[in-house]
C-alpha cells in the first residue's frame, strides 16, 4: 500500500491548501480514529483508545486541532489535549500515560504558513509505514459518526509541561550539574518557549532565553536551529559559554560556542559518541545519513566506532538503530536520537548529552572538535513545481558524472527529493571548497532547468 500524503516526517503542507484544510483534517482524524479503534488494545470493557494531541505555536494549530479532535471523537476515540508542547514531549507522554497513540500538529522548522501532522505509536515512536498507509487509504471515505454513547470524549492535560521538564532533567547524570555555565537558549518562538529555560536553570545554569515570545506568526522566523544569527549575537552580548538553538517543535539542535562558532548535528553526534566511547558506554556504533559529513565518518572509524548511513529522515535513522540495537544517531540538520534516553529525536535531551560530555571533560565545544576539520559541503535546495524522476534525466546525470569525475573519489554528489517540501536537495562534498561550490551550483542549475520543463 503506497502513501501519497505521508512523507518522511508525517503530513506537511501550506495551510488552506490540500491537504492542510479543516475539512481534510476532519477526515484524517476520522480515518485515524477508525484504524486505531479497530486494533486490539486489550482494553477493559467500555474503555476506548486514547490519543494525545499536541501542537507547536502556529496560529493555524487551534483550527486544525479542532478538526482533528472532532474526527477522532466521531470515530469513537477519546482525545487528550496538551496545548503547545515539543514533539518529543508528546512521544514521552504517550508512554508515561499509557496511551494508544499521539499526534503532533507541527511543520517543524517550516515557516508559520505551513503546518503538518506527525503520528506516534503506543511505544512513542513514529507510526510504521503500513499504519500510515491504512490511515491514508480511508481519508476519502464518508464520516459516519458513532452513536452518541460511543462518541469519544475530549479533555485537557494540566500537568504536561511539568511532567516533561522532569523527564528531561532525569536524562542528565544526577552527580553533575550546570552551575557556573552561562547558556543562551533560542526557542524559535516555538513549542519549547515555556520549557527549555526551566530545564537548564533547574540544573544550575544561568540561562538567557531568546525566541520565547510566540505570537502564532513568528515561529522559526529569523531564529532557532535554521537561523542562528540572533543566537550568536546574544551569546556574545551576554558573554555566554555557549548557545543552544532549537526549532519550532523542539526536535532539532544546533549549538554555538562562546566565540559564535556553529556546531551542527553531525558534530554534536560525534561529541556524544566520542564521550560515550571513551567512557565505555557507547553500545555498538553510530547511525548517520547519506548527508553526514565524511570527516565525521572517518573520525569515528579512527576511534574504532562502527558507522552506518541511513536514508535522510530521523525515522530511518531510528529504524537502523533498532535493527542493529545501537543507541546513537542523527543528522546534520540537528535531529539527534539518543535511544537509551528517548524514543525519538529531542533537542533538549540531545543538548544535555552534549553538556554531559563537555562537563566531564572540562572542554568547550571548539576544544572537543579541534582534531576534526569538516569536508566542505554545499547543499542547494531546488524548488520544483511538480515531482519528476531526476534519476532518469540524462542531462542531470551527465553533469553529476562530470562532478564525480572531477572530485576524483575524494568527494560525493547526492541528489534527493525532500520528504517534507517540494524541493530537490543537491549536495556536493569534497576536499576543495572551490570545486564543491562550483559543482553544487552547476548541478542545481541543471536540475532547475529540467524541473521548469516538466509539464
Amino acid at each position: 500500500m503506497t502513501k501519497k500524503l505521508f512523507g518522511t516526517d508525517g503530513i506537511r503542507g501550506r495551510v488552506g491548501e490540500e491537504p492542510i484544510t479543516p475539512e481534510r483534517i476532519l477526515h484524517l482524524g476520522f480515518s485515524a480514529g477508525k484504524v486505531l479503534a479497530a486494533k486490539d488494545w486489550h482494553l477493559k470493557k467500555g474503555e476506548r483508545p486514547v490519543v494525545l494531541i499536541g501542537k507547536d505555536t502556529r496560529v493555524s494549530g487551534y483550527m486544525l486541532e479542532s478538526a482533528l479532535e472532532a474526527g477522532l471523537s466521531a470515530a469513537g476515540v477519546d482525545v487528550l489535549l496538551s496545548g503547545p508542547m515539543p514533539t518529543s514531549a508528546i512521544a514521552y507522554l504517550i508512554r508515561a500515560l499509557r496511551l494508544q497513540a499521539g499526534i503532533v500538529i507541527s511543520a517543524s522548522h517550516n515557516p508559520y504558513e505551513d503546518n503538518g501532522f506527525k503520528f506516534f505509536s503506543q511505544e512513542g515512536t513514529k507510526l510504521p509505514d503500513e499504519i500510515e498507509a491504512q490511515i491514508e487509504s480511508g481519508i476519502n471515505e464518508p464520516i459516519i459518526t458513532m452513536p452518541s454513547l460511543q462518541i469519544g470524549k475530549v479533555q485537557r492535560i494540566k500537568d504536561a509541561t511539568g511532567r516533561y521538564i522532569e523527564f528531561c532533567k532525569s536524562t542528565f547524570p544526577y552527580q553533575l550539574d550546570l552551575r557556573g555555565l552561562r547558556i543562551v537558549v533560542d526557542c524559535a518562538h516555538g513549542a519549547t518557549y515555556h520549557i527549555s529555560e526551566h530545564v537548564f536553570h533547574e540544573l544550575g545554569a544561568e540561562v538567557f532565553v531568546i525566541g520565547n515570545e510566540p505570537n502564532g506568526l513568528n515561529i522559526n522566523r529569523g531564529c532557532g536551529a535554521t537561523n542562528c544569527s540572533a543566537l550568536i549575537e546574544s551569546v556574545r552580548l551576554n558573554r555566554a559559554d555557549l548557545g543552544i538553538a532549537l526549532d519550532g517543535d523542539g526536535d532539532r539542535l544546533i549549538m554555538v560556542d562562546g566565540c559564535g562558532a556553529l556546531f551542527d548535528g553531525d558534530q554534536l553526534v560525534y561529541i556524544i559518541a566520542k564521550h560515550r566511547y571513551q567512557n565505555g558506554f557507547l553500545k555498538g556504533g553510530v547511525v548517520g545519513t547519506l548527508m553526514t559529513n565524511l570527516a565525521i565518518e572517518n573520525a569515528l572509524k579512527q576511534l574504532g566506532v562502527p558507522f552506518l548511513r541511513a536514508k535522510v529522515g530521523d525515522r530511518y535513522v531510528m529504524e537502523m538503530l533498532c535493527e542493529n540495537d545501537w543507541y546513537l544517531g542523527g543528522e546534520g540538520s540537528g535531529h539527534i536520537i539518543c535511544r537509551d534516553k528517548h524514543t525519538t529525536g529531542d533537542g533538549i535531551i540531545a543538548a544535555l548529552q552534549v553538556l554531559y560530555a563537555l562537563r566531564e571533560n572540562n572542554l568547550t565545544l571548539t576544544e572537543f572538535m579541534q582534531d576534526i576539520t569538516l569536508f566542505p559541503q554545499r547543499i542547494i535546495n531546488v524548488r520544483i513545481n511538480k515531482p519528476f524522476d531526476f534519476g532518469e534525466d540524462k542531462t542531470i546525470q551527465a553533469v553529476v558524472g562530470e562532478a564525480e569525475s572531477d572530485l576524483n573519489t575524494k568527494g560525493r554528489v547526492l541528489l534527493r527529493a525532500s520528504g517534507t517540501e517540494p524541493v530537490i536537495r543537491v549536495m556536493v562534498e569534497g576536499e576543495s571548497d572551490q570545486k564543491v561550490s562550483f559543482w553544487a551550483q552547476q548541478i542545481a542549475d541543471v536540475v532547475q532547468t529540467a524541473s521548469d520543463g516538466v509539464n
Side-chain angles (χ1 to χ4, degrees):
M1 200 179 294
T2 59
K3 300 185 298 179
K4 295 181 180 180
L5 288 180
F6 284 87
T8 57
D9 200 15
I11 299 171
R12 196 174 299 184
R14 185 58 54 99
V15 175
E17 300 176 5
E18 284 289 337
I20 313 299
T21 66
E23 181 181 15
R24 179 63 67 190
I25 301 312
L26 176 66
H27 283 262
L28 174 68
F30 183 76
S31 180
K34 294 292 286 184
V35 170
L36 293 171
K39 291 190 67 176
D40 182 11
W41 298 107
H42 303 291
L43 299 172
K44 295 179 181 178
K45 187 175 181 180
E47 289 184 336
R48 290 181 287 264
V50 183
V51 175
L52 173 62
I53 299 178
K55 60 187 177 186
D56 63 25
T57 56
R58 293 162 211 270
V59 66
S60 59
Y62 294 91
M63 172 184 73
L64 298 173
E65 178 184 66
S66 297
L68 186 65
E69 70 174 79
L72 287 164
S73 59
V77 172
D78 286 346
V79 177
L80 293 178
L81 305 175
S82 72
M85 289 291 288
T87 291
S88 46
I90 300 305
Y92 161 69
L93 289 166
I94 293 167
R95 293 182 296 127
L97 298 173
R98 308 302 191 267
L99 308 179
Q100 280 64 58
I103 306 172
V104 180
I105 304 171
S106 174
S108 191
H109 61 285
N110 287 28
Y112 83 93
E113 294 93 343
D114 295 344
N115 219 325
F117 299 83
K118 301 180 183 183
F119 286 72
F120 286 86
S121 71
Q122 189 177 32
E123 291 77 31
T125 57
K126 301 287 177 66
L127 277 187
D129 286 340
E130 57 269 23
I131 303 299
E132 289 184 343
Q134 288 178 33
I135 293 172
E136 187 170 318
S137 68
I139 200 170
N140 292 315
E141 295 180 4
I143 294 176
I144 303 175
T145 305
M146 297 292 286
S148 294
L149 186 63
Q150 296 172 268
I151 290 175
K153 297 179 180 179
V154 180
Q155 61 182 357
R156 292 194 174 274
I157 305 175
K158 296 181 180 179
D159 61 347
T161 299
R163 283 173 175 265
Y164 178 61
I165 289 171
E166 291 304 314
F167 169 63
C168 289
K169 288 161 54 183
S170 74
T171 65
F172 193 75
Y174 72 90
Q175 71 272 21
L176 293 178
D177 59 51
L178 301 178
R179 288 186 176 90
L181 274 183
R182 294 166 64 89
I183 298 174
V184 179
V185 182
D186 184 347
C187 302
H189 298 301
T192 64
Y193 77 96
H194 57 319
I195 291 171
S196 57
E197 177 181 8
H198 298 289
V199 173
F200 298 108
H201 174 72
E202 290 176 21
L203 288 172
E206 184 178 0
V207 184
F208 305 88
V209 188
I210 62 174
N212 63 332
E213 298 179 354
N215 61 17
L217 309 177
N218 59 0
I219 187 171
N220 299 314
R221 184 194 294 167
C223 58
T226 56
N227 188 334
C228 294
S229 56
L231 176 63
I232 292 170
E233 182 63 21
S234 184
V235 165
R236 288 173 175 163
L237 286 174
N238 291 290
R239 298 181 180 178
D241 297 295
L242 56 86
I244 294 169
L246 306 167
D247 70 337
D249 72 331
D251 65 355
R252 289 191 183 202
L253 169 70
I254 302 293
M255 297 179 72
V256 303
D257 70 3
C259 297
L262 274 173
F263 294 81
D264 67 11
D266 287 346
Q267 294 165 295
L268 300 178
V269 166
Y270 175 77
I271 289 173
I272 298 170
K274 184 176 181 180
H275 173 242
R276 292 185 172 197
Y277 175 78
Q278 290 175 334
N279 288 274
F281 61 97
L282 176 67
K283 182 175 181 180
V286 173
V287 173
T289 72
L290 297 173
M291 308 291 278
T292 299
N293 198 285
L294 274 170
I296 300 298
E297 178 178 1
N298 293 340
L300 287 170
K301 288 182 176 178
Q302 286 177 6
L303 286 176
V305 175
F307 178 82
L308 293 174
R309 292 180 184 269
K311 292 190 295 183
V312 175
D314 61 332
R315 68 183 301 149
Y316 302 116
V317 173
M318 176 61 85
E319 286 176 4
M320 190 167 282
L321 286 172
C322 293
E323 287 171 5
N324 291 275
D325 197 23
W326 293 355
Y327 284 167
L328 179 63
E331 305 181 280
S333 62
H335 289 126
I336 299 173
I337 298 171
C338 301
R339 198 166 68 92
D340 56 330
K341 304 298 180 184
H342 203 349
T343 59
T344 190
D346 187 308
I348 293 175
I349 289 175
L352 290 173
Q353 293 303 295
V354 174
L355 290 170
Y356 178 16
L358 300 181
R359 209 66 171 153
E360 274 217 327
N361 289 276
N362 195 28
L363 295 173
T364 66
L365 289 164
T366 299
E367 289 168 342
F368 215 112
M369 292 295 298
Q370 64 183 351
D371 296 332
I372 298 179
T373 301
L374 295 181
F375 279 50
Q377 188 183 86
R378 180 86 186 277
I379 300 173
I380 299 178
N381 294 325
V382 180
R383 190 159 290 274
I384 58 177
N385 296 319
K386 61 184 298 185
F388 73 102
D389 190 353
F390 54 83
E392 295 297 320
D393 188 293
K394 294 182 179 179
T395 305
I396 293 175
Q397 294 311 306
V399 72
V400 167
E402 289 180 44
E404 291 176 334
S405 177
D406 190 33
L407 293 170
N408 192 27
T409 72
K410 295 181 179 179
R412 300 185 300 141
V413 177
L414 176 67
L415 275 67
R416 71 175 188 88
S418 169
T420 58
E421 301 174 84
V423 302
I424 293 174
R425 305 196 196 283
V426 176
M427 188 276 282
V428 179
E429 183 179 77
E431 291 184 328
S432 167
D433 186 55
Q434 184 177 6
K435 283 187 178 182
V436 165
S437 296
F438 172 78
W439 284 115
Q441 192 60 59
Q442 289 289 109
I443 297 169
D445 290 344
V446 172
V447 170
Q448 187 68 75
T449 300
S451 171
D452 292 342
V454 176
N455 297 319

